[in-house]
Amino acid sequence: MYNFIDTTQVQPASSNLGAESFKINGEYLENLVPGYQTLNVTGRELLGSEIDTLSIAGINGEEYIGNRYPAREITVKYKLEAKTCGGFRDAFNKLSAALNVEEAKLVFDDEPDKYFVGTRSDVGDVPEGKNAIVSTFIFYCSDPFKYSATEKEFIATINDDGIMETTIVNNGTESVPISYEITHNHENGYIGIVSEYGAMQFGQISERDEEVKQKSEVLLNYANGQEIYNALTKGGAFISPYLNNGAFRVNTVDNVKYLEIDSNNVGSGSYWHGAGGYKKIPADTNGHVGAKNFKASAKVWFQGTAARQQGAIDFCISNGSDIIASFQIWDGQTGTHQSYVDMFIGKTLKKRYAYNADASGWSSRNDGQIYIQKSGELFTFGFGTERYQFREPSMKDVEADQINVFLSLASGDTYWQMTWACVEKISFRTDSVDYNYDIPNRYPSGTIVAINGEEGRIYVDGVPHMEDEITGTQYFLAPPGETTVQFTYSDFSEPAPTIKARISEAYL
């Protein structure tokens, strides 16, 4: 079992201590300097004030304006003695060293719970040729007040009106600075401190914790022709008057499955005919069906092995039967490999791109990537290394809810079916999914904001952050008596921060 020892009551080893001995920065001079003893101290008592008045001609007396306390001087009378001249000189050197400090904390034994702050300013004469002398030195206290050695702490709580506040009790005789420690238990963007004597603000009062943003979400992703075949329903929305009387099949080439026209059921007609299907785009994670902003992609293989071959791939994005945008990749000529990429918004052709759909073309098996991207009114068509953009304000808010695929060929004895007119992959990504974005706030949970009332500075986790101070902030004091201080913070900061206010009482 341990005995409690109050260290403030433990006397130092020196037997030279008097009633007015004092510590300078925590050390007695009697312990630092052999042969030294404090005899008495003056200047700690009542201090006169300087009165500021105004004389007005023709009026008796003077008009009182105010008063101020000047700096204080504390005079210490001491004795220093040694047995030898060398010992005396050594002791005097140690005394000079001990007093050679600025803004030292001075605690006197007859008032150990308070302190002054002073700097040695002057010294008295030292008699010559003696090893035992009595003289003086003076501490200049630019701040004339003495302060409580113990800091008082006040913890803020929520009052009956839901406002966080604390009452500061100052039992001293002077107004003193207030310091604050604010420990955040949740993200926060703003701190307000107010009393009848002023207000302080830090951060940004309008800072938000969340905002609604949009993210991307893949709603369809078919990795091969078999998956596409299983997903499509016969029918769809297309620009050309296709005859949808043929059928799809899945063809495997080098272990890769492709969706293509069934060569045994290509359909018939006097113009383009073949197989068409559609897939409704499912709801996103919020349960919403339809995407205002999206990217629809496909990997196609459109390549002929003879000039007489022809065929077409139509990749269309729609809102039900209303076409939003589509790609048509087609070859309807004989005697040449020349093919075309047509880009439509609605039913309006925006761009036609000509190329050769042979082994050297971008739509051969190893490339063939295409995509349609919509961001509001901006449409982007991409294929191979090409990229084209168009704006269509009328389509800004239209939502896609269906993909459509049509594989076809034209009629006529002079046409041969394109060797490869197939689709390997299809995906659809919505960029329109709303979600609540957690904004990283100025003061994350766990952040400690310290406001030093004496310095008039704010620190965030120990680092100065004066840029957080809002113009007009007043670092007010706590006068003698009671002062109610209230605190505000961002309304999303729940649980509330832990707030402590601290003062050191001052006395004349």
Side-chain angles (χ1 to χ4, degrees):
M1 188 171 180
Y2 294 91
N3 292 323
F4 174 78
I5 298 176
D6 186 350
T7 56
T8 63
Q9 300 300 317
V10 176
Q11 295 294 318
S14 173
S15 61
N16 295 329
L17 294 179
E20 293 185 279
S21 292
F22 67 95
K23 293 178 182 178
I24 179 169
N25 287 341
E27 297 285 350
Y28 286 100
L29 290 177
E30 283 84 348
N31 291 341
L32 297 174
V33 183
Y36 171 89
Q37 184 180 26
T38 298
L39 298 178
N40 61 63
V41 177
T42 59
R44 294 191 294 141
E45 298 78 16
L46 288 176
L47 184 66
S49 61
E50 296 177 351
I51 307 298
D52 189 12
T53 61
L54 176 65
S55 297
I56 302 175
I59 298 179
N60 294 326
E62 294 178 324
E63 182 177 345
Y64 177 81
I65 296 177
N67 77 314
R68 62 176 293 274
Y69 291 105
R72 180 189 294 272
E73 288 188 342
I74 297 176
T75 301
V76 178
K77 185 177 182 180
Y78 70 95
K79 177 177 70 174
L80 184 65
E81 58 184 359
K83 294 181 179 180
T84 65
C85 292
F88 181 81
R89 181 51 51 196
D90 181 64
F92 214 93
N93 289 339
K94 289 180 178 178
L95 177 61
S96 295
L99 295 176
N100 189 29
V101 290
E102 297 181 2
E103 297 289 280
K105 188 174 183 179
L106 310 174
V107 179
F108 294 89
D109 268 9
D110 59 356
E111 199 172 27
D113 61 338
K114 298 178 180 64
Y115 67 90
F116 291 91
V117 176
T119 302
R120 183 194 63 181
S121 63
D122 200 4
V123 295
D125 294 334
V126 176
E128 297 179 1
K130 294 183 179 181
N131 295 339
I133 61 99
V134 173
S135 188
T136 60
F137 54 81
I138 297 174
F139 287 110
Y140 181 83
C141 302
S142 57
D143 181 347
F145 304 118
K146 59 187 175 185
Y147 293 90
S148 173
T150 303
E151 195 173 55
K152 293 178 73 173
E153 182 177 278
F154 307 89
I155 299 176
T157 57
I158 304 294
N159 65 19
D160 293 340
D161 296 323
I163 299 173
M164 179 168 281
E165 69 176 18
T166 189
T167 299
I168 294 174
V169 180
N170 179 3
N171 291 321
T173 63
E174 307 301 322
S175 297
V176 294
I178 311 169
S179 293
Y180 306 89
E181 180 185 280
I182 302 164
T183 302
H184 287 88
N185 302 311
H186 189 277
E187 290 185 353
N188 183 30
Y190 168 78
I191 298 167
I193 304 173
V194 63
S195 77
E196 61 182 297
Y197 304 108
M200 298 178 279
Q201 297 182 90
F202 307 91
Q204 185 175 354
I205 194 169
S206 61
E207 185 163 311
R208 296 176 298 162
D209 187 43
E210 291 185 341
E211 65 180 351
V212 177
K213 286 191 173 183
Q214 291 189 323
K215 65 179 179 179
S216 298
E217 186 176 310
V218 176
L219 301 180
L220 295 176
N221 188 21
Y222 301 129
N224 58 64
Q226 185 65 61
E227 293 182 3
I228 301 171
Y229 179 88
N230 295 339
L232 294 180
T233 299
K234 192 174 183 63
F238 307 103
I239 294 172
S240 297
Y242 298 127
L243 294 175
N244 191 357
N245 52 17
F248 291 124
R249 75 175 182 183
V250 177
N251 188 14
T252 302
V253 180
D254 296 333
N255 296 318
V256 177
K257 298 181 184 299
Y258 295 92
L259 179 75
E260 65 179 18
I261 298 176
D262 186 346
S263 59
N264 295 318
N265 188 7
V266 298
S268 60
S270 59
Y271 195 50
W272 294 94
H273 55 271
Y278 69 94
K279 171 63 180 178
K280 283 292 185 181
I281 297 167
D284 60 28
T285 51
N286 291 333
H288 180 75
V289 175
K292 184 185 303 183
N293 306 307
F294 63 82
K295 184 176 183 179
S297 304
K299 187 174 186 300
V300 301
W301 185 5
F302 189 79
Q303 179 183 342
T305 55
R308 293 182 62 188
Q309 292 177 347
Q310 57 78 41
I313 298 176
D314 194 323
F315 181 59
C316 177
I317 309 301
S318 67
N319 181 282
S321 61
D322 295 326
I323 296 169
I324 296 174
S326 65
F327 262 120
Q328 288 184 353
I329 306 166
W330 62 281
D331 181 349
Q333 304 182 81
T334 61
T336 176
H337 285 290
Q338 182 166 301
S339 300
Y340 302 94
V341 179
D342 287 351
M343 291 158 264
F344 289 84
I345 297 179
K347 294 185 178 182
T348 302
L349 177 63
K350 293 292 186 178
K351 177 73 176 178
R352 173 168 289 175
Y353 174 86
Y355 77 106
N356 285 332
D358 56 13
S360 64
W362 68 267
S363 60
S364 60
R365 182 182 182 190
N366 293 327
D367 192 350
Q369 298 286 350
I370 64 174
Y371 70 86
I372 303 171
Q373 186 166 359
K374 178 180 180 290
S375 298
E377 66 179 45
L378 179 64
F379 288 79
T380 302
F381 293 80
F383 56 96
T385 59
E386 301 297 319
R387 181 172 172 269
Y388 298 93
Q389 289 188 320
F390 313 96
R391 290 190 179 275
E392 182 52 58
S394 65
M395 289 286 190
K396 179 180 178 181
D397 296 320
V398 175
E399 295 188 335
D401 66 0
Q402 184 173 301
I403 61 169
N404 310 268
V405 177
F406 199 92
L407 306 179
S408 63
L409 62 153
S411 296
D413 295 337
T414 58
Y415 295 115
W416 292 357
Q417 184 177 347
M418 184 74 72
T419 303
W420 307 110
C422 49
V423 182
E424 179 187 347
K425 299 177 181 179
I426 288 177
S427 65
F428 184 92
R429 183 192 77 199
T430 176
D431 297 326
S432 308
V433 182
D434 290 342
Y435 73 102
N436 288 329
Y437 172 68
D438 186 7
I439 301 171
N441 292 115
R442 188 180 304 267
Y443 308 121
S445 179
T447 299
I448 297 177
V449 173
I451 298 169
N452 189 307
E454 184 174 3
E455 296 178 0
R457 296 178 68 84
I458 176 174
Y459 297 83
V460 178
D461 289 334
V463 179
H465 268 248
M466 293 307 297
E467 66 275 14
D468 286 5
E469 181 184 299
I470 297 176
T471 301
T473 287
Q474 295 178 322
Y475 292 81
F476 56 84
L477 304 177
E482 294 186 353
T483 301
T484 298
V485 180
Q486 295 186 333
F487 305 90
T488 55
Y489 40 86
S490 300
D491 55 8
F492 56 78
S493 188
E494 182 64 37
T498 300
I499 302 178
K500 300 176 182 178
R502 297 187 179 101
I503 62 168
S504 291
E505 292 169 330
Y507 305 81
L508 184 62

